[in-house]
Amino acid sequence: MPKIATREAYGEALAELGEEIKDIVVLDADLSKSTKTSVFAKKFPERFFNMGIAEQNLMGTAAGLATCGKIPFASTFAVFATGRAFEQIRNSICYPNLNVKIAASHAGITVGEDGATHQSIEDIAIMRSLPNMTIINPADAVEAKQAVRAAALHKGPVYLRLGRHPVETIFDEHYKFEPGKGVILRDGKDVALIATGIMVAEALKAAEILAKGGINAMVINIHTIKPIDKEIILQAAECGAIVTAEEHSIIGGLGSAVAEVLVEEKPVPMKRIGIRDVFGQSGKPEELLKAYGLTAEDIAEAARSLRR
Amino acid sequence: MAITREKVEELTAVARKVRRHIIDMTAEAGSGHPGGSLSCTDILVALYFHVMKVDPKDPDWPERDRLVLSKGHAAPALYAVLAEKGYFPVEELLTLRKIDSRLQGHPDMKKTPGVDMTTGSLGQGLSAANGMAIAAKLDGKDYRVYAVLGDGELQEGQVWEAAMAASHYKLDNLTAFVDHNGLQIDGPIAEVMSPEIIQDKFRAFGWNVIDVDGHDFEDIIRGIEEAVNTKGRPTVIVAKTVKGKGVPFMENQVDWHGKAPSRQQAEEALKALGE
Ligand SMILES: Cc1ncc(C[n+]2csc(CCOP(=O)(O)OP(=O)(O)O)c2C)c(N)n1
Ligand SMILES: [Mg+2]
């Protein structure tokens, strides 16, 4: 399977959708080559607005456009979108429930060499705390492409989390993305691996590793982190043990969202694979995933420890 | 747009009513911001009663002119103007800040008919106004967008991000007002953190700048007329105002920024404002 970054899929999908949905406008903050909004910009220059290195104004302008019926996609790196402009997203977008799509690239630690200032490990936590916000974190380019369309069709704010680094393609052309619905990728009864984003591929590999040791793991892809698919989590809880995996802090992201459902509805032992409340550092994406315990082997080991 | 004597008298009468509402509303609520509401009253009255193309029967009319009250704490002034204009019953004004009211402490576009943008966090409104002005250009529509900012609010960095963008995108369908009353919460703007010289700053950002007396309807209208006729760049109207205007014991008093009058003080204020 080819490796494609989800940001690449975003750029392509946006340029395609622009043809079909004339209300789509795209804004960027001097990162259009990296976020891939440049593809749209080239095709529809009159509907592309570079706002310069000014993320607060980027979000506020998108809000104003949305009040007039436009469907703005505002893009920059995840750190700056959710950090620098948090309060603009809160007060000018989420509170009035405006139809703004925040498509943030370079999420997670696989940003790599740029280091900790550019590695967004708390964006899901921040966005998850906002009423009216929908959060989508696609696992591969196929899912990302469909997620862009779903985001455009959804009425209300969406946070679309995209990565810089090429990821394995998991889904084929028959895959159908359904917002808000988790996807069971592999059935199993001994432990459930619930993953999001690039960690879905790792969870699938972890299931292979576990199978060799006689542990039969269920694998679930949670692409929509908010609203979370409670039903599928409760179904996963039937396995009696759950491991979550995300390229994000263990605080406030997928692990927290799953734990919240479990403790209220059906507590089962669980482990969270994620960045353990530390900042990242420079390095190659694969080296970083290893250094911060985000590999298939880490997921498998967490699953084994729950079965002991 | 030029304004007749009679029209000035009419606006003066509306402004008096609006100021009376501001006193009644904040007194009834027991909280709110009378000072900055009274200072921008004449600007809002001029806009809604002489300038803006709006339809109170159809608040979401797509062709309407828009107003973003970036200094959202002046919500009482905006609500009173909207009620007098007929967007909702005047009696509803006394529900300001009360539980389940459509009149929130700061403007909420999803709750109050006629409110075009949710504001309250200072510094964000001009960006939203830019978005509206860009949308008008994209759609080839001729509606205009107005924003009202506080002078203390100009300390927010986002205002200048937006100022840069408005001139970059040549938003000549956008007019911003600065309610230049010289005061913010902790004291005179000149002492807290001077944004002066405001005119020079906007000029340096590529804006057309007009000075007006923010309590003189003829002057306000003259300024707006010039703004409408200015092509290729946005206009800022720096309106010299008096915080607490119309209520002698509130005028130029920093204490009356965010404090409601007692019932007795309200009576005194209403007497000063006159019927
Ligand atoms: C981002 C933000 N910070 C602080 C406040 C609290 N606040 C409300 S009004 C105000 C002072 C505003 O001064 P100015 O802009 O001059 O308004 P005016 O004098 O017209 O009332 C402050 C600090 C706020 N609403 N938003
Ligand atoms: Mg002031």
Side-chain angles (χ1 to χ4, degrees), chain B residues 147-197:
Chain B
V148 179
L149 287 76
D151 50 3
E153 182 181 8
L154 301 181
Q155 293 153 359
E156 281 286 357
Q158 188 185 349
V159 171
W160 301 101
E161 294 183 2
M164 201 184 306
S167 92
H168 179 83
Y169 285 111
K170 304 184 169 53
L171 302 181
D172 51 13
N173 52 351
L174 169 79
T175 304
F177 280 86
V178 173
D179 182 357
H180 196 4
N181 57 30
L183 296 178
Q184 57 189 113
I185 294 184
D186 280 348
I189 57 170
E191 285 173 24
V192 176
M193 177 55 65
S194 176
E196 302 288 5
I197 295 170

Tab-separated table of all heavy atoms in Angstrom, chain B residues 147-197:
chain	number	residue	atom	x	y	z
B	147	ALA	N	-18.268	48.401	11.765
B	147	ALA	CA	-17.772	47.828	13.017
B	147	ALA	C	-17.564	48.975	14.000
B	147	ALA	O	-17.175	50.072	13.598
B	147	ALA	CB	-16.461	47.093	12.786
B	148	VAL	N	-17.861	48.726	15.261
B	148	VAL	CA	-17.629	49.737	16.292
B	148	VAL	C	-16.662	49.171	17.330
B	148	VAL	O	-16.932	48.136	17.938
B	148	VAL	CB	-18.951	50.171	16.973
B	148	VAL	CG1	-18.677	51.214	18.055
B	148	VAL	CG2	-19.934	50.716	15.943
B	149	LEU	N	-15.538	49.858	17.468
B	149	LEU	CA	-14.488	49.412	18.392
B	149	LEU	C	-14.278	50.420	19.510
B	149	LEU	O	-14.476	51.620	19.304
B	149	LEU	CB	-13.150	49.253	17.656
B	149	LEU	CG	-12.971	48.064	16.713
B	149	LEU	CD1	-13.709	48.300	15.394
B	149	LEU	CD2	-11.499	47.836	16.431
B	150	GLY	N	-13.840	49.932	20.649
B	150	GLY	CA	-13.454	50.834	21.729
B	150	GLY	C	-12.030	51.321	21.510
B	150	GLY	O	-11.263	50.703	20.762
B	151	ASP	N	-11.669	52.431	22.157
B	151	ASP	CA	-10.286	52.903	21.993
B	151	ASP	C	-9.318	52.059	22.815
B	151	ASP	O	-8.195	51.785	22.396
B	151	ASP	CB	-10.149	54.411	22.281
B	151	ASP	CG	-10.773	54.856	23.602
B	151	ASP	OD1	-11.274	53.985	24.351
B	151	ASP	OD2	-10.772	56.070	23.874
B	152	GLY	N	-9.760	51.593	23.972
B	152	GLY	CA	-8.929	50.666	24.747
B	152	GLY	C	-8.777	49.343	24.006
B	152	GLY	O	-7.712	48.705	24.023
B	153	GLU	N	-9.819	48.946	23.320
B	153	GLU	CA	-9.807	47.696	22.559
B	153	GLU	C	-8.676	47.658	21.538
B	153	GLU	O	-8.181	46.581	21.169
B	153	GLU	CB	-11.169	47.509	21.846
B	153	GLU	CG	-11.266	46.209	21.071
B	153	GLU	CD	-12.589	46.012	20.354
B	153	GLU	OE1	-13.410	46.953	20.317
B	153	GLU	OE2	-12.794	44.914	19.811
B	154	LEU	N	-8.259	48.838	21.103
B	154	LEU	CA	-7.196	48.898	20.082
B	154	LEU	C	-5.876	48.331	20.591
B	154	LEU	O	-4.941	48.112	19.832
B	154	LEU	CB	-6.977	50.349	19.623
B	154	LEU	CG	-8.190	51.049	19.017
B	154	LEU	CD1	-7.811	52.465	18.584
B	154	LEU	CD2	-8.742	50.268	17.823
B	155	GLN	N	-5.804	48.078	21.903
B	155	GLN	CA	-4.587	47.472	22.460
B	155	GLN	C	-4.453	46.003	22.078
B	155	GLN	O	-3.367	45.423	22.179
B	155	GLN	CB	-4.602	47.628	24.000
B	155	GLN	CG	-4.467	49.078	24.432
B	155	GLN	CD	-5.100	49.369	25.786
B	155	GLN	OE1	-5.665	48.489	26.427
B	155	GLN	NE2	-5.029	50.626	26.214
B	156	GLU	N	-5.549	45.396	21.652
B	156	GLU	CA	-5.507	43.990	21.245
B	156	GLU	C	-4.762	43.831	19.911
B	156	GLU	O	-5.083	44.500	18.926
B	156	GLU	CB	-6.932	43.443	21.050
B	156	GLU	CG	-7.633	43.090	22.351
B	156	GLU	CD	-7.117	41.807	23.008
B	156	GLU	OE1	-6.240	41.144	22.425
B	156	GLU	OE2	-7.603	41.489	24.109
B	157	GLY	N	-3.820	42.898	19.878
B	157	GLY	CA	-3.063	42.669	18.648
B	157	GLY	C	-3.921	42.274	17.466
B	157	GLY	O	-3.642	42.646	16.324
B	158	GLN	N	-4.979	41.521	17.721
B	158	GLN	CA	-5.810	41.040	16.614
B	158	GLN	C	-6.427	42.192	15.822
B	158	GLN	O	-6.661	42.068	14.615
B	158	GLN	CB	-6.922	40.121	17.140
B	158	GLN	CG	-7.691	39.426	16.010
B	158	GLN	CD	-8.876	38.607	16.514
B	158	GLN	OE1	-9.022	38.385	17.716
B	158	GLN	NE2	-9.707	38.155	15.601
B	159	VAL	N	-6.678	43.318	16.496
B	159	VAL	CA	-7.236	44.477	15.787
B	159	VAL	C	-6.313	44.879	14.643
B	159	VAL	O	-6.754	45.185	13.530
B	159	VAL	CB	-7.430	45.663	16.752
B	159	VAL	CG1	-7.805	46.929	15.984
B	159	VAL	CG2	-8.477	45.337	17.806
B	160	TRP	N	-5.020	44.809	14.906
B	160	TRP	CA	-4.057	45.272	13.902
B	160	TRP	C	-3.792	44.202	12.848
B	160	TRP	O	-3.457	44.538	11.695
B	160	TRP	CB	-2.793	45.778	14.610
B	160	TRP	CG	-3.201	46.887	15.536
B	160	TRP	CD1	-3.376	46.814	16.888
B	160	TRP	CD2	-3.635	48.205	15.152
B	160	TRP	NE1	-3.855	48.006	17.376
B	160	TRP	CE2	-4.027	48.883	16.335
B	160	TRP	CE3	-3.729	48.893	13.923
B	160	TRP	CZ2	-4.502	50.199	16.327
B	160	TRP	CZ3	-4.183	50.212	13.927
B	160	TRP	CH2	-4.560	50.840	15.110
B	161	GLU	N	-3.975	42.964	13.216
B	161	GLU	CA	-3.966	41.908	12.178
B	161	GLU	C	-5.104	42.177	11.201
B	161	GLU	O	-4.947	42.106	9.982
B	161	GLU	CB	-4.187	40.518	12.811
B	161	GLU	CG	-3.087	40.019	13.733
B	161	GLU	CD	-3.331	38.600	14.261
B	161	GLU	OE1	-4.343	37.967	13.900
B	161	GLU	OE2	-2.498	38.128	15.040
B	162	ALA	N	-6.262	42.502	11.780
B	162	ALA	CA	-7.442	42.748	10.949
B	162	ALA	C	-7.292	44.042	10.154
B	162	ALA	O	-7.709	44.122	8.987
B	162	ALA	CB	-8.693	42.801	11.824
B	163	ALA	N	-6.687	45.056	10.770
B	163	ALA	CA	-6.495	46.331	10.074
B	163	ALA	C	-5.606	46.128	8.840
B	163	ALA	O	-5.864	46.670	7.761
B	163	ALA	CB	-5.864	47.348	11.019
B	164	MET	N	-4.577	45.310	9.030
B	164	MET	CA	-3.669	45.021	7.922
B	164	MET	C	-4.415	44.301	6.791
B	164	MET	O	-4.281	44.638	5.616
B	164	MET	CB	-2.537	44.125	8.448
B	164	MET	CG	-1.280	44.126	7.613
B	164	MET	SD	-0.055	42.959	8.254
B	164	MET	CE	0.124	43.450	9.952
B	165	ALA	N	-5.228	43.323	7.179
B	165	ALA	CA	-5.949	42.524	6.185
B	165	ALA	C	-7.001	43.354	5.451
B	165	ALA	O	-7.178	43.214	4.238
B	165	ALA	CB	-6.605	41.323	6.864
B	166	ALA	N	-7.688	44.239	6.162
B	166	ALA	CA	-8.739	45.035	5.523
B	166	ALA	C	-8.166	45.923	4.428
B	166	ALA	O	-8.768	46.100	3.362
B	166	ALA	CB	-9.471	45.880	6.557
B	167	SER	N	-6.993	46.464	4.669
B	167	SER	CA	-6.421	47.314	3.629
B	167	SER	C	-5.782	46.451	2.547
B	167	SER	O	-5.872	46.768	1.358
B	167	SER	CB	-5.477	48.354	4.221
B	167	SER	OG	-4.151	47.911	4.254
B	168	HIS	N	-5.207	45.313	2.933
B	168	HIS	CA	-4.631	44.402	1.922
B	168	HIS	C	-5.698	43.973	0.916
B	168	HIS	O	-5.442	43.925	-0.281
B	168	HIS	CB	-4.026	43.177	2.604
B	168	HIS	CG	-3.426	42.178	1.662
B	168	HIS	ND1	-2.150	42.295	1.157
B	168	HIS	CD2	-3.945	41.063	1.097
B	168	HIS	CE1	-1.905	41.290	0.339
B	168	HIS	NE2	-2.975	40.521	0.292
B	169	TYR	N	-6.865	43.652	1.433
B	169	TYR	CA	-7.950	43.205	0.550
B	169	TYR	C	-8.849	44.354	0.080
B	169	TYR	O	-9.936	44.130	-0.434
B	169	TYR	CB	-8.749	42.077	1.217
B	169	TYR	CG	-7.975	40.761	1.193
B	169	TYR	CD1	-7.467	40.198	2.355
B	169	TYR	CD2	-7.706	40.122	-0.014
B	169	TYR	CE1	-6.723	39.021	2.319
B	169	TYR	CE2	-6.965	38.947	-0.056
B	169	TYR	CZ	-6.477	38.399	1.105
B	169	TYR	OH	-5.738	37.245	1.060
B	170	LYS	N	-8.396	45.594	0.311
B	170	LYS	CA	-9.084	46.781	-0.222
B	170	LYS	C	-10.575	46.801	0.108
B	170	LYS	O	-11.434	46.989	-0.761
B	170	LYS	CB	-8.884	46.870	-1.740
B	170	LYS	CG	-7.424	46.889	-2.162
B	170	LYS	CD	-7.297	47.088	-3.669
B	170	LYS	CE	-5.883	47.387	-4.120
B	170	LYS	NZ	-4.864	46.438	-3.673
B	171	LEU	N	-10.878	46.587	1.380
B	171	LEU	CA	-12.278	46.461	1.784
B	171	LEU	C	-12.925	47.842	1.953
B	171	LEU	O	-13.154	48.318	3.055
B	171	LEU	CB	-12.382	45.627	3.065
B	171	LEU	CG	-11.787	44.218	2.937
B	171	LEU	CD1	-11.936	43.442	4.239
B	171	LEU	CD2	-12.446	43.451	1.782
B	172	ASP	N	-13.217	48.462	0.802
B	172	ASP	CA	-13.822	49.798	0.851
B	172	ASP	C	-15.311	49.741	1.198
B	172	ASP	O	-15.959	50.775	1.346
B	172	ASP	CB	-13.584	50.559	-0.462
B	172	ASP	CG	-13.968	49.748	-1.679
B	172	ASP	OD1	-14.646	48.713	-1.538
B	172	ASP	OD2	-13.578	50.150	-2.804
B	173	ASN	N	-15.848	48.531	1.333
B	173	ASN	CA	-17.241	48.377	1.793
B	173	ASN	C	-17.306	48.228	3.314
B	173	ASN	O	-18.344	47.897	3.870
B	173	ASN	CB	-17.911	47.180	1.093
B	173	ASN	CG	-17.086	45.896	1.201
B	173	ASN	OD1	-15.939	45.915	1.656
B	173	ASN	ND2	-17.668	44.787	0.774
B	174	LEU	N	-16.171	48.446	3.953
B	174	LEU	CA	-16.080	48.328	5.410
B	174	LEU	C	-15.759	49.686	6.032
B	174	LEU	O	-14.857	50.381	5.565
B	174	LEU	CB	-14.965	47.340	5.772
B	174	LEU	CG	-14.553	47.273	7.242
B	174	LEU	CD1	-15.556	46.447	8.039
B	174	LEU	CD2	-13.168	46.662	7.383
B	175	THR	N	-16.517	50.040	7.056
B	175	THR	CA	-16.229	51.256	7.812
B	175	THR	C	-16.155	50.903	9.289
B	175	THR	O	-17.085	50.314	9.834
B	175	THR	CB	-17.339	52.317	7.617
B	175	THR	OG1	-17.481	52.567	6.219
B	175	THR	CG2	-16.986	53.622	8.334
B	176	ALA	N	-15.031	51.246	9.900
B	176	ALA	CA	-14.890	50.991	11.334
B	176	ALA	C	-15.006	52.314	12.084
B	176	ALA	O	-14.526	53.348	11.616
B	176	ALA	CB	-13.535	50.343	11.620
B	177	PHE	N	-15.683	52.263	13.220
B	177	PHE	CA	-15.712	53.411	14.126
B	177	PHE	C	-14.830	53.101	15.322
B	177	PHE	O	-14.854	51.991	15.837
B	177	PHE	CB	-17.133	53.641	14.667
B	177	PHE	CG	-18.034	54.359	13.712
B	177	PHE	CD1	-18.741	53.658	12.748
B	177	PHE	CD2	-18.185	55.739	13.788
B	177	PHE	CE1	-19.585	54.319	11.868
B	177	PHE	CE2	-19.024	56.405	12.913
B	177	PHE	CZ	-19.729	55.704	11.954
B	178	VAL	N	-14.076	54.094	15.757
B	178	VAL	CA	-13.430	53.980	17.062
B	178	VAL	C	-14.160	54.936	17.994
B	178	VAL	O	-14.250	56.131	17.726
B	178	VAL	CB	-11.928	54.335	17.012
B	178	VAL	CG1	-11.351	54.368	18.425
B	178	VAL	CG2	-11.179	53.336	16.144
B	179	ASP	N	-14.724	54.385	19.049
B	179	ASP	CA	-15.414	55.177	20.064
B	179	ASP	C	-14.330	55.747	20.984
B	179	ASP	O	-13.931	55.123	21.961
B	179	ASP	CB	-16.379	54.246	20.818
B	179	ASP	CG	-17.189	54.969	21.878
B	179	ASP	OD1	-16.966	56.179	22.074
B	179	ASP	OD2	-18.029	54.319	22.507
B	180	HIS	N	-13.862	56.928	20.605
B	180	HIS	CA	-12.667	57.495	21.254
B	180	HIS	C	-13.065	58.291	22.493
B	180	HIS	O	-13.090	59.520	22.479
B	180	HIS	CB	-11.931	58.375	20.241
B	180	HIS	CG	-10.524	58.709	20.643
B	180	HIS	ND1	-9.907	58.212	21.764
B	180	HIS	CD2	-9.592	59.507	20.049
B	180	HIS	CE1	-8.682	58.685	21.851
B	180	HIS	NE2	-8.465	59.484	20.824
B	181	ASN	N	-13.351	57.563	23.576
B	181	ASN	CA	-13.767	58.233	24.817
B	181	ASN	C	-12.617	58.388	25.811
B	181	ASN	O	-12.787	58.917	26.907
B	181	ASN	CB	-14.960	57.505	25.461
B	181	ASN	CG	-14.664	56.043	25.751
B	181	ASN	OD1	-13.517	55.679	26.009
B	181	ASN	ND2	-15.689	55.210	25.702
B	182	GLY	N	-11.443	57.884	25.452
B	182	GLY	CA	-10.255	58.123	26.268
B	182	GLY	C	-10.146	57.297	27.538
B	182	GLY	O	-9.166	57.409	28.266
B	183	LEU	N	-11.141	56.447	27.796
B	183	LEU	CA	-11.118	55.665	29.042
B	183	LEU	C	-11.247	54.171	28.780
B	183	LEU	O	-11.861	53.758	27.803
B	183	LEU	CB	-12.275	56.096	29.963
B	183	LEU	CG	-12.275	57.527	30.508
B	183	LEU	CD1	-13.527	57.751	31.357
B	183	LEU	CD2	-11.022	57.813	31.320
B	184	GLN	N	-10.664	53.398	29.664
B	184	GLN	CA	-10.905	51.957	29.682
B	184	GLN	C	-11.189	51.572	31.137
B	184	GLN	O	-11.634	52.433	31.894
B	184	GLN	CB	-9.745	51.200	29.052
B	184	GLN	CG	-8.384	51.445	29.658
B	184	GLN	CD	-7.278	50.818	28.801
B	184	GLN	OE1	-6.475	51.526	28.223
B	184	GLN	NE2	-7.238	49.493	28.734
B	185	ILE	N	-10.994	50.324	31.541
B	185	ILE	CA	-11.425	49.948	32.898
B	185	ILE	C	-10.499	50.512	33.971
B	185	ILE	O	-10.931	51.110	34.939
B	185	ILE	CB	-11.504	48.413	33.074
B	185	ILE	CG1	-12.602	47.841	32.188
B	185	ILE	CG2	-11.788	48.063	34.543
B	185	ILE	CD1	-12.836	46.360	32.360
B	186	ASP	N	-9.209	50.335	33.763
B	186	ASP	CA	-8.264	50.708	34.815
B	186	ASP	C	-7.878	52.187	34.813
B	186	ASP	O	-7.072	52.603	35.647
B	186	ASP	CB	-7.006	49.834	34.725
B	186	ASP	CG	-7.227	48.462	35.345
B	186	ASP	OD1	-8.257	48.286	36.030
B	186	ASP	OD2	-6.399	47.559	35.165
B	187	GLY	N	-8.435	52.958	33.888
B	187	GLY	CA	-8.132	54.386	33.866
B	187	GLY	C	-8.117	54.943	32.462
B	187	GLY	O	-8.623	54.316	31.526
B	188	PRO	N	-7.502	56.136	32.296
B	188	PRO	CA	-7.383	56.724	30.967
B	188	PRO	C	-6.509	55.829	30.067
B	188	PRO	O	-5.502	55.284	30.552
B	188	PRO	CB	-6.694	58.065	31.225
B	188	PRO	CG	-6.909	58.353	32.673
B	188	PRO	CD	-6.978	57.020	33.352
B	189	ILE	N	-6.881	55.689	28.804
B	189	ILE	CA	-6.086	54.852	27.893
B	189	ILE	C	-4.647	55.350	27.840
B	189	ILE	O	-3.720	54.554	27.704
B	189	ILE	CB	-6.693	54.794	26.468
B	189	ILE	CG1	-6.860	56.180	25.861
B	189	ILE	CG2	-8.014	54.044	26.470
B	189	ILE	CD1	-7.228	56.164	24.377
B	190	ALA	N	-4.472	56.667	27.978
B	190	ALA	CA	-3.129	57.251	27.896
B	190	ALA	C	-2.241	56.765	29.029
B	190	ALA	O	-1.024	56.719	28.897
B	190	ALA	CB	-3.216	58.775	27.912
B	191	GLU	N	-2.840	56.390	30.146
B	191	GLU	CA	-2.054	55.912	31.291
B	191	GLU	C	-1.904	54.405	31.301
B	191	GLU	O	-0.863	53.876	31.681
B	191	GLU	CB	-2.715	56.364	32.604
B	191	GLU	CG	-2.504	57.834	32.894
B	191	GLU	CD	-3.304	58.302	34.098
B	191	GLU	OE1	-3.645	57.464	34.952
B	191	GLU	OE2	-3.600	59.514	34.147
B	192	VAL	N	-2.966	53.703	30.905
B	192	VAL	CA	-2.928	52.234	30.958
B	192	VAL	C	-1.985	51.686	29.892
B	192	VAL	O	-1.053	50.930	30.197
B	192	VAL	CB	-4.339	51.634	30.781
B	192	VAL	CG1	-4.272	50.114	30.751
B	192	VAL	CG2	-5.254	52.100	31.914
B	193	MET	N	-2.242	52.066	28.650
B	193	MET	CA	-1.412	51.622	27.514
B	193	MET	C	-1.879	52.407	26.301
B	193	MET	O	-2.872	52.074	25.687
B	193	MET	CB	-1.587	50.112	27.277
B	193	MET	CG	-0.832	49.556	26.065
B	193	MET	SD	0.926	49.903	26.060
B	193	MET	CE	1.473	48.972	27.487
B	194	SER	N	-1.154	53.456	26.005
B	194	SER	CA	-1.668	54.374	24.994
B	194	SER	C	-1.702	53.770	23.594
B	194	SER	O	-0.679	53.296	23.102
B	194	SER	CB	-0.823	55.640	24.967
B	194	SER	OG	-1.296	56.457	23.913
B	195	PRO	N	-2.855	53.798	22.955
B	195	PRO	CA	-2.938	53.375	21.552
B	195	PRO	C	-2.729	54.558	20.596
B	195	PRO	O	-2.850	54.405	19.385
B	195	PRO	CB	-4.372	52.837	21.437
B	195	PRO	CG	-5.153	53.667	22.417
B	195	PRO	CD	-4.197	54.123	23.490
B	196	GLU	N	-2.411	55.712	21.147
B	196	GLU	CA	-2.242	56.907	20.317
B	196	GLU	C	-0.945	56.842	19.523
B	196	GLU	O	0.001	56.180	19.946
B	196	GLU	CB	-2.253	58.158	21.205
B	196	GLU	CG	-3.510	58.313	22.036
B	196	GLU	CD	-4.756	58.702	21.235
B	196	GLU	OE1	-4.670	58.772	19.983
B	196	GLU	OE2	-5.789	58.920	21.865
B	197	ILE	N	-0.832	57.496	18.378
B	197	ILE	CA	-1.896	58.317	17.809
B	197	ILE	C	-2.725	57.425	16.899
B	197	ILE	O	-2.206	56.902	15.905
B	197	ILE	CB	-1.292	59.496	17.024
B	197	ILE	CG1	-0.543	60.409	18.017
B	197	ILE	CG2	-2.338	60.294	16.275
B	197	ILE	CD1	0.297	61.463	17.327
